[in-house]
Amino acid sequence: MHDLLPYIQGQLTQILGDMQYFGPEICLSLLFVVVLITDLLFGRNSEKLCRIVACGGIILVISKDIIQLQLIGEHNIFLFSDMLLQNHISLIFRLIIDSSALLLLLYFAWDEPLKSHTKKLSDLYSISIAAILGLHLMTMAANLLSVYLAIEMVSIASYLLVAYRSENAFSTEAGLKYVLFGASASAIMLYGISLLYGFTGTLSLFDPNFVAGLIQVNAAGTTFALILVLVGIGFKLSFVPLHFWVPDVYEGAPTPITAFLSTVPKIAAFGLLLNFLTPFLISQQWKAFDFGLYLSVIGIITMIAGNFAAVMQNNVKRMLAYSSIGHTGFALMAIVTFTSQGITALAYYLAVYVIANIGALMLVTYFTKITGSEDVNTYKGLGLKYPAASVCFIIILISLTGLPVTAGFTGKLLVFSAVYSVYQANHNIWLLLLTITGALTTVVSLFYYIKIPLNLFLKRTDNAAEPIAQSAYILIFAVIISIVLVLLGIFPNWLIKFL
């Protein structure tokens, strides 16, 4: 026992030293406890108070993120015995996550079906904060154990969010499907992790013995294990063929939860994917598994499947679900470059995609209250009755499509530029195919996004009902989001200089 005392003392000293780089996560942990206690103390009357505490806490977390950015600089710092990795790009991803989370926490109370739930929204805020903490850990995970724990933390919170409206059969069914698919993906990933540990004798991704151990193993066994781990990450990214849960879950979940699932977990999953790939990319001897080839093929198939499936949808939430799959495929283009230019393009693209997608789903909530339906055909003739919301919807859809002069166009241009720069250097045919597929599927996306403005302004309806009073908050934020997307399209350096 006495022999262990110096070791324990050294570990405690290291942990306390690492705490200075773990400020945002400590704040999130405390915020979760505070919101939970607030709910317990004030019961059914705690909804507004929990919302204020949650939003105030997230603002504090954002400030801590900014402090960490200044503290870290361009360094890579390993925390808690190499379990977590703190660096510039993971902090950028966390800033995007936290900024989006603040908007989503505000949005929860603007959705009438969700707000009218008998349990109210207090539990929703605490579950969301737990999910955000898990998302932070996903972007920092540098050990296969921390990878699994972070993904499971986010998954459990996501299951609860999807099935939150337990009195709604459709929502409950979506939650059950999500649990079944998620549990299967987690089990497959855990099997892959166990194989990698058996091959290498270490769980640390950045341990020199990790890649060195895999090099000594038969290439087929290594490939099999890596594919199993990528299944778990791919489930969160929802790329093909791990996308099958997305349409039903996004349609069945309350719209603000759909906005949550379609945005912030994807950012964290891309951050996790970068951490997972880095040890293999920096190794000069690694040749057993060509990540560039596999991810290029997945990206091409995902863009094609997501965008062409979206064309056939009339339900707006299902349309945006398939659209998000297509956007995942496009974002994989930036990953495949494996360059700093590609990572900057990825961060910009994800930031503007998140803003636009949340704005689009806010307006789905807005028009669903008017029509009582999520079918795009029920939007006929509403453009002139609700001009501000309709114009904002069109601007947001233009950005999601990637047309000038919006931020979506700049994001796609940055990704295309990054891919083409690498193609000029190595003339990899897969990069050329990615570029061509990205351009063609951007054109395809016009065919389903245009359904909304077509019905809003160009089609007429016999229904002469008077305009319905709507939430002013959704309209105000839709206007703000539209202005931000246009301004970032005209002045992209306002955002790029921080990435």
Side-chain angles (χ1 to χ4, degrees):
M1 180 66 184
H2 291 291
D3 295 338
L4 293 174
L5 288 177
Y7 173 77
I8 294 172
Q9 184 179 1
Q11 287 293 309
L12 288 174
T13 303
Q14 182 186 4
I15 290 170
L16 291 173
D18 290 343
M19 283 295 185
Q20 64 177 314
Y21 302 108
F22 203 60
E25 291 69 39
I26 293 172
C27 286
L28 279 170
S29 303
L30 294 174
L31 180 61
F32 171 74
V33 174
V34 171
V35 172
L36 203 59
I37 291 173
T38 303
D39 182 24
L40 291 173
L41 289 177
F42 295 93
R44 290 184 176 274
N45 300 319
S46 65
E47 182 179 331
K48 289 185 179 178
L49 189 56
C50 285
R51 187 183 185 209
I52 292 169
V53 172
C55 292
I58 291 295
I59 292 171
L60 177 61
V61 171
I62 292 171
S63 69
K64 291 289 184 181
D65 289 334
I66 295 170
I67 292 170
Q68 288 294 316
L69 266 177
Q70 297 168 346
L71 185 64
I72 295 292
E74 297 298 326
H75 298 95
N76 294 322
I77 298 176
F78 289 93
L79 308 177
F80 311 122
S81 301
D82 297 346
M83 292 293 288
L84 303 174
L85 172 62
Q86 185 78 284
N87 58 18
H88 179 81
I89 189 61
S90 70
L91 276 165
I92 291 296
F93 282 177
R94 271 172 276 159
L95 260 175
I96 299 171
I97 288 168
D98 294 336
S99 302
S100 307
L102 177 61
L103 185 56
L104 288 164
L105 289 173
L106 292 170
Y107 175 25
F108 288 161
W110 302 336
D111 185 79
E112 289 297 332
L114 189 58
K115 188 178 180 181
S116 61
H117 190 278
T118 53
K119 291 189 296 187
K120 302 301 180 182
L121 299 181
S122 301
D123 291 339
L124 199 64
Y125 295 123
S126 55
I127 296 168
S128 300
I129 291 163
I132 295 163
L133 176 58
L135 295 171
H136 272 232
L137 297 177
M138 279 178 66
T139 64
M140 303 169 69
N143 183 291
L144 290 172
L145 181 59
S146 59
V147 166
Y148 180 75
L149 291 175
I151 288 179
E152 282 304 287
M153 189 173 180
V154 174
S155 295
I156 292 170
S158 299
Y159 303 152
L160 294 172
L161 291 173
V162 171
Y164 194 77
R165 290 182 61 202
S166 53
E167 83 289 351
N168 184 293
F170 199 16
S171 182
T172 304
E173 180 187 350
L176 181 59
K177 286 180 180 178
Y178 195 22
V179 170
L180 293 174
F181 292 146
S184 301
S186 294
I188 291 169
M189 182 180 67
L190 191 59
Y191 183 40
I193 288 173
S194 67
L195 288 175
L196 292 178
Y197 178 66
F199 293 155
T200 64
T202 180
L203 289 170
S204 177
L205 291 171
F206 292 85
D207 187 331
N209 295 325
F210 181 73
V211 175
L214 289 177
I215 291 173
Q216 304 303 317
V217 179
N218 180 277
T222 303
T223 299
F224 180 65
L226 290 172
I227 288 175
L228 293 182
V229 175
L230 286 174
V231 165
I233 301 174
F235 181 80
K236 286 297 171 197
L237 286 172
S238 64
F239 57 57
V240 175
L242 301 165
H243 68 293
F244 39 78
W245 60 275
V246 172
D248 289 339
V249 172
Y250 282 20
E251 183 183 1
T255 306
I257 305 305
T258 301
F260 184 95
L261 294 175
S262 64
T263 52
V264 285
K266 286 188 183 245
I267 301 169
F270 274 113
L272 175 58
L273 182 60
L274 285 174
N275 285 348
F276 184 74
L277 294 176
T278 300
F280 300 99
L281 300 178
I282 61 179
S283 172
Q284 299 296 322
Q285 290 79 33
W286 179 256
K287 294 182 176 61
F289 187 88
D290 189 346
F291 285 100
L293 171 61
Y294 282 87
L295 291 177
S296 295
V297 172
I298 289 171
I300 289 170
I301 297 172
T302 301
M303 281 189 280
I304 293 172
N307 284 286
F308 277 92
V311 172
M312 297 181 283
Q313 307 304 315
N314 285 322
N315 182 288
V316 182
K317 284 172 70 175
R318 287 186 76 89
M319 184 195 300
L320 291 173
Y322 281 110
S323 163
S324 75
I325 295 169
H327 281 284
T328 296
F330 193 90
L332 282 173
M333 290 174 61
I335 290 277
V336 170
T337 63
F338 305 131
T339 62
S340 58
Q341 182 186 0
I343 302 308
T344 301
L346 174 66
Y348 183 94
Y349 183 80
L350 290 176
V352 298
Y353 162 73
V354 165
I355 295 170
N357 208 56
I358 292 174
L361 285 162
M362 278 186 175
L363 289 168
V364 170
T365 296
Y366 187 92
F367 283 105
T368 299
K369 185 179 178 182
I370 296 168
T371 63
S373 170
E374 293 165 356
D375 193 303
V376 69
N377 293 314
T378 61
Y379 289 9
K380 291 178 181 178
L382 295 179
L384 298 178
K385 292 181 181 178
Y386 305 92
S390 300
V391 169
C392 289
F393 213 158
I394 292 172
I395 293 171
I396 289 168
L397 293 175
I398 287 172
S399 183
L400 285 171
T401 307
L403 298 178
V405 289
T406 58
F409 171 76
T410 307
K412 289 200 170 186
L413 185 62
L414 289 172
V415 173
F416 279 130
S417 299
V419 173
Y420 188 68
S421 296
V422 177
Y423 172 73
Q424 282 187 312
N426 60 20
H427 295 286
N428 186 323
I429 187 64
W430 288 106
L431 293 177
L432 180 61
L433 290 175
L434 273 171
T435 306
I436 294 170
T437 306
L440 290 176
T441 51
T442 297
V443 175
V444 171
S445 68
L446 279 169
F447 287 92
Y448 57 85
Y449 283 133
I450 204 171
K451 289 181 181 180
I452 293 174
L454 184 68
N455 280 283
L456 285 173
F457 287 103
L458 299 181
K459 291 190 176 180
R460 293 289 178 262
T461 178
D462 296 331
N463 184 5
E466 291 297 318
I468 299 171
Q470 282 291 322
S471 169
Y473 295 112
I474 288 182
L475 186 55
I476 289 168
F477 271 82
V479 171
I480 293 171
I481 287 171
S482 302
I483 293 171
V484 167
L485 290 173
V486 172
L487 289 177
L488 288 178
I490 299 171
F491 306 105
N493 284 334
W494 287 2
L495 180 58
I496 292 173
K497 65 182 179 182
F498 295 108
L499 302 179

